[in-house]
Amino acid sequence: MQQREEVGRRREAEPSLDGKVAVVTGGGSGLGAAICRVLAAAGANVVVADVDARGAEQTAASIGGTARAETLDVRDEEGAASSLARVAAEQGRLDVLVNNAGVDVTKSIMEMSVAEWDRVIAVNLRGPFVLAKLAFERMRGAGGGHIVNIVSTAARRAWANAAAYHASKWGLLGLSHAMHVEGREHGIRVTALIAGGMRTPFLLDRFPDIDRNVLQDPENVAEAVRFVLMQPRGTVIPELMVVPERETSWP
């Protein structure tokens, strides 16, 4: 009897996303949309944030319920501050930030312009810093929260014609670990989720001849996001790698 009561208490204390407010950047398509769907199914109130207003609205509409769209360009510091302030005012809280928005320019170092380099760094590295800084301020005052930065295997290996992308993702991985160190004293958990190739427009639109069979379903990576968010209080996963079973870049 005592053992059953103890198990019951543990189950009641299990982490839950019910009613948690989660902002997902780049939520209008691909992995971002998958993350929004998975978190909403787990009970979260999802804010689909994307520079593509129509994409954000379509994702939010497909989810229904409490999901709402927010037009957000992660390069715009003032706009990002206004967006998070609006979310906090409407929802009363901010529990989760998923920095997922990302871009790439498939050009060699010699072909890439400085403007193109700046754009990739601005979206993939500066944007997550700006959003995390804003989220830190709100989460610290509320007793904690969780930030998930979507990194890439581009932070672990290199290939040609992706110098800016590699630089941004290596930087984001380092930033994530730095934020983990600074956030833990405030109850803010930070996770770097290193994702391998997925069947999303990010790859399929640029590389139509790519072998889809060696790519993973973005829903699988979204489930990994849900997993790290569901860790019991007192535990954090600072880094997690999720790659396709058949991805040839790893043993």
Side-chain angles (χ1 to χ4, degrees):
M1 180 67 175
Q2 184 177 1
Q3 185 177 10
R4 286 200 298 270
E5 290 177 352
E6 178 64 24
V7 171
R9 284 195 293 271
R10 288 179 180 176
R11 286 178 178 171
E12 289 177 0
E14 286 180 355
S16 171
L17 294 180
D18 286 343
K20 296 290 181 67
V21 176
V23 174
V24 181
T25 69
S29 64
L31 175 60
I35 293 171
C36 290
R37 289 191 295 268
V38 167
L39 297 189
N45 297 333
V46 174
V47 177
V48 185
D50 204 299
V51 68
D52 177 6
R54 183 179 179 184
E57 291 167 358
Q58 289 177 337
T59 297
S62 70
I63 295 171
T66 60
R68 60 172 292 270
E70 180 73 25
T71 304
L72 170 63
D73 184 342
V74 299
R75 297 171 297 179
D76 179 1
E77 181 181 355
E78 291 185 4
S82 295
S83 289
L84 290 194
R86 190 160 42 247
V87 169
E90 293 175 355
Q91 307 274 1
R93 57 196 294 175
L94 173 62
D95 302 290
V96 176
L97 168 66
V98 181
N99 280 315
N100 167 76
V103 296
D104 188 15
V105 174
T106 309
K107 292 183 179 180
S108 70
I109 292 175
M110 292 178 290
E111 296 172 322
M112 182 181 296
S113 68
V114 173
E116 288 170 328
W117 168 278
D118 287 345
R119 174 172 172 263
V120 174
I121 299 299
V123 173
N124 296 2
L125 183 55
R126 183 181 183 276
F129 166 73
V130 169
L131 268 294
K133 178 178 173 61
L134 294 168
F136 253 66
E137 295 170 357
R138 295 189 176 278
M139 291 177 176
R140 182 177 61 179
H146 203 139
I147 297 173
V148 179
N149 293 315
I150 303 300
V151 190
S152 163
T153 52
R156 292 297 195 197
R157 57 192 175 92
W159 54 84
N161 302 323
Y165 190 69
H166 283 298
S168 68
K169 292 302 184 178
W170 279 73
L172 183 56
L173 180 59
L175 175 62
S176 294
H177 283 284
M179 289 196 301
H180 160 68
V181 173
E182 294 189 23
R184 58 193 177 197
E185 67 177 288
H186 304 295
I188 301 172
R189 298 188 281 186
V190 181
T191 300
L193 188 69
I194 302 175
M198 291 168 280
R199 292 189 290 273
T200 65
F202 186 77
L203 283 180
L204 300 179
D205 287 354
R206 293 184 299 138
F207 307 106
D209 296 328
I210 195 170
D211 184 356
R212 292 171 175 251
N213 294 320
V214 299
L215 301 176
Q216 60 190 334
D217 190 325
E219 298 280 344
N220 297 350
V221 179
E223 285 292 347
V225 173
R226 183 189 63 81
F227 171 74
V228 300
L229 294 175
M230 293 289 286
Q231 294 307 297
R233 176 62 63 182
T235 294
V236 61
I237 299 176
E239 182 180 317
L240 179 66
M241 182 181 292
V242 185
V243 298
E245 187 176 11
R246 294 186 58 199
E247 184 163 312
T248 58
S249 301
W250 302 95

